[in-house]
Amino acid sequence: MKTQVGIIGAGPAGLMLAQTLRLQGIDSVILEMRSEEYVLSRIRAGVLEHPTVEFLHEMGAGDRLAREGMPHEGIDLLFRGEKRRIDFPSLTNGKKVTVYGQQEVVKDLIELKKAFDGQILFEATDVRIVDPESDSPSLSFTYQGEQKTLACEFVAGCDGFHGVARASIPESGLKLFERVYPFAWLGILAEAAPAQDELIYSRHENGFALFSMRSQEVTRLYLQCDPKEDLEHWPDSRVWDELHRRLEAKDGFRVNEGAIMRKDVTPMRSFVCETMRHGRLFLAGDAAHIVPPTGAKGLNLAAGDVKLLSDAFVAYFRSGETGPLDGYEAHALKRIWAAQRFSWFMTRLLHKDPGANAFDQEVQFADLDYYTGTEAGRRTIAENYVGLPFGWPGAA
Ligand code: RFL
Ligand code: PHB
């Protein structure tokens, strides 16, 4: 087997890369260790930035998104019982975000890949990157019980935080940065109509809570909890009590209850691997960086990486230019660090830090007052939330 770009991982990063490359006539094969059903049922992100939505349209994956995605023109920050709204269009020259589940993006992209060349091998296991430093790297793997080799010109490691791509770069060459937070999110998906049409981020005495949604019938909710939280201690009744408590607002807002379809705990971490290239291996998406979900940036950062990387591959395959590939890492890191900063900032602004003293807490409330009570503050949040332009800062 042979291809121009061998892609590891059929998450948003790998699928978007395959699609953008295909539109430019560049051939790719995706190796995914999980089954198609598993990949399609993974519930994760929900908020697409303005540049991500444009990018999905450009790559021909925008039809269902345009029909079913829910445009959002603002968010509420709730603290001390009061909701303070951040209005995106008036603060960002008309931009907004779209709520559309990550699994829907993945589904649309899998359908496109299957329709055009069918080159996604699900349940491809034991993937190993062979000779990434050479001009002819390859991927060895097991597929349907047989050992296979895929010869590639380049390898794209789009295999998420726990994948093999980053792990196959020699440790001595890795430049890593990390922060682990002393809390996690307990998330639920409920069969309940969203009680209002915009998201609410709440800073409550008992901890952070987030009200979000997936459709007119499904609400997505999160509660700050301990990273080692045992879901056994969270029967549905306790989850609802705590959500009502943390999301109570003076305007009478109340979450609608419904059957809980899923309950999970997500740890919170900030992580950057600045080494995004090793020979002919390039990392994109969660394989190179993780953000805490408070800024809704993970999937959107993956999209930004893919835009730069696909443009760089196109320049190489069209005219043999290597400059954009050489510049990929440095350029991508600018937007990655900007999103890291915003995700860290939103996390700190909205969570109850178990290590904070009374002084720290008052400073946090002063911050909340400033960022919601002044136009400069609101603009900072709005501009980052709707998404800095791809190619940041060059494209700003
Ligand atoms: P993914 O989605 O993890 O996909 C990686 C794929 O690679 C496969 N894989 C392998 N395949 C072959 N061989 C191996 N050795 C392999 N190892 C792994 C995996 O099976 C998988 O299919 O990474 P990608 O594509 O970089 O996409 C990143 C996003 O998934 C992630 O950043 C977001 O989900 C983060 N995130 C959010 N991002 C947003 O932009 N907005 C949000 O609102 C948002 N909310 C969230 C989130 C993530 C969450 N969790 C569960 C971590 C909310 C939550 C709760
Ligand atoms: C979600 O709907 O899953 C969601 C929304 C906003 C976030 C994180 C997750 O910041």
Side-chain angles (χ1 to χ4, degrees):
M1 292 172 73
K2 193 168 153 238
T3 192
Q4 287 172 293
V5 182
I7 300 175
I8 316 174
L15 290 162
M16 288 188 283
L17 181 62
Q19 174 65 9
T20 42
L21 292 179
R22 188 186 63 76
L23 290 181
Q24 301 295 328
I26 299 166
D27 190 50
S28 71
V29 174
I30 303 181
L31 304 182
E32 165 60 51
M33 71 178 190
R34 303 283 188 176
S35 68
E36 183 170 357
E37 298 69 50
Y38 184 97
V39 169
L40 286 171
S41 65
R42 210 160 28 196
I43 306 285
R44 282 192 172 175
V47 177
L48 304 182
E49 289 175 349
H50 175 87
T52 305
V53 171
E54 283 190 332
F55 189 38
L56 287 165
H57 278 287
E58 267 169 42
M59 69 176 82
D63 292 354
R64 200 161 66 91
L65 167 63
R67 282 197 311 275
E68 297 177 21
M70 305 160 86
H72 279 219
E73 299 200 339
I75 50 171
D76 281 324
L77 299 198
L78 166 63
F79 58 102
R80 292 182 166 153
E82 233 180 273
K83 274 184 190 159
R84 302 265 182 95
R85 184 168 184 272
I86 313 260
D87 183 77
F88 301 146
S90 64
L91 295 161
T92 63
N93 284 327
K95 296 194 182 107
K96 51 193 168 198
V97 297
T98 301
V99 170
Y100 189 64
Q102 176 170 328
Q103 74 278 22
E104 307 302 332
V105 174
V106 164
K107 182 173 176 204
D108 297 344
L109 289 166
I110 286 179
E111 272 169 23
L112 283 169
K113 182 78 176 147
K114 282 183 22 186
F116 287 99
D117 63 19
Q119 298 286 340
I120 310 186
L121 306 186
F122 289 100
E123 299 179 70
T125 55
D126 308 319
V127 174
R128 278 195 317 114
I129 305 167
V130 183
D131 296 334
E133 298 94 348
S134 77
D135 284 344
S136 48
S138 62
L139 293 171
S140 80
F141 58 101
T142 307
Y143 186 64
Q144 297 180 337
E146 277 179 47
Q147 168 77 32
K148 308 251 182 202
T149 299
L150 173 66
C152 321
E153 290 186 55
F154 292 97
V155 174
C158 302
D159 50 353
F161 185 63
H162 300 285
V164 288
R166 191 180 70 252
S168 67
I169 301 176
E171 235 170 84
S172 57
L174 286 178
K175 206 165 162 200
L176 307 177
F177 301 81
E178 185 172 38
R179 170 179 288 275
V180 177
Y181 298 85
F183 36 74
W185 281 13
L186 187 162
I188 65 160
L189 201 58
E191 271 176 50
Q196 69 166 43
D197 5 318
E198 290 183 347
L199 273 59
I200 306 173
Y201 289 81
S202 170
R203 190 331 186 153
H204 188 272
E205 209 25 51
N206 287 11
F208 169 79
L210 170 61
F211 163 83
S212 180
M213 64 203 69
R214 284 294 177 276
S215 67
Q216 300 299 346
E217 296 82 36
V218 176
T219 307
R220 177 78 164 140
L221 296 142
Y222 298 95
L223 288 168
Q224 176 182 345
C225 66
D226 190 88
K228 295 193 186 74
E229 199 72 61
D230 184 351
L231 284 175
E232 291 288 308
H233 297 148
W234 285 90
D236 296 3
S237 58
R238 181 175 174 208
V239 172
W240 289 118
D241 283 352
E242 202 52 36
L243 283 166
H244 289 310
R245 196 167 295 124
R246 295 192 200 176
L247 288 164
E248 188 182 343
K250 286 182 187 147
D251 69 354
F253 173 84
R254 195 177 158 79
V255 185
N256 291 330
E257 291 191 22
I260 296 183
M261 299 180 269
R262 229 179 258 231
K263 224 184 259 174
D264 45 60
V265 174
T266 307
M268 311 267 283
R269 182 198 297 272
S270 298
F271 171 83
V272 178
C273 169
E274 284 205 342
T275 317
M276 296 178 72
R277 174 188 193 167
H278 176 63
R280 289 197 164 222
L281 164 66
F282 290 83
L283 304 185
D286 278 17
H289 41 74
I290 295 284
V291 284
T294 331
K297 288 282 165 269
L299 165 60
N300 296 296
L301 265 189
D305 291 354
V306 166
K307 170 72 178 149
L308 281 181
L309 186 56
S310 58
D311 285 352
F313 281 141
V314 170
Y316 176 85
F317 285 114
R318 283 256 171 87
S319 49
E321 252 188 277
T322 53
L325 280 174
D326 293 340
Y328 167 68
E329 178 181 281
H331 200 172
L333 283 169
K334 295 280 186 206
R335 192 169 187 270
I336 292 165
W337 277 114
Q340 288 289 350
R341 185 204 69 81
F342 181 67
S343 305
W344 165 85
F345 160 80
M346 288 288 277
T347 302
R348 212 180 37 140
L349 185 68
L350 290 157
H351 288 73
K352 176 150 170 126
D353 181 345
N357 62 21
F359 176 89
D360 302 331
Q361 292 210 34
E362 289 311 315
V363 169
Q364 186 181 21
F365 282 110
D367 250 347
L368 278 161
D369 260 331
Y370 175 78
Y371 281 101
T372 59
T374 64
E375 173 156 330
R378 287 192 296 269
R379 192 184 299 281
T380 293
I381 291 186
E383 190 168 74
N384 284 277
Y385 198 92
V386 301
L388 297 174
F390 284 175
W392 170 267

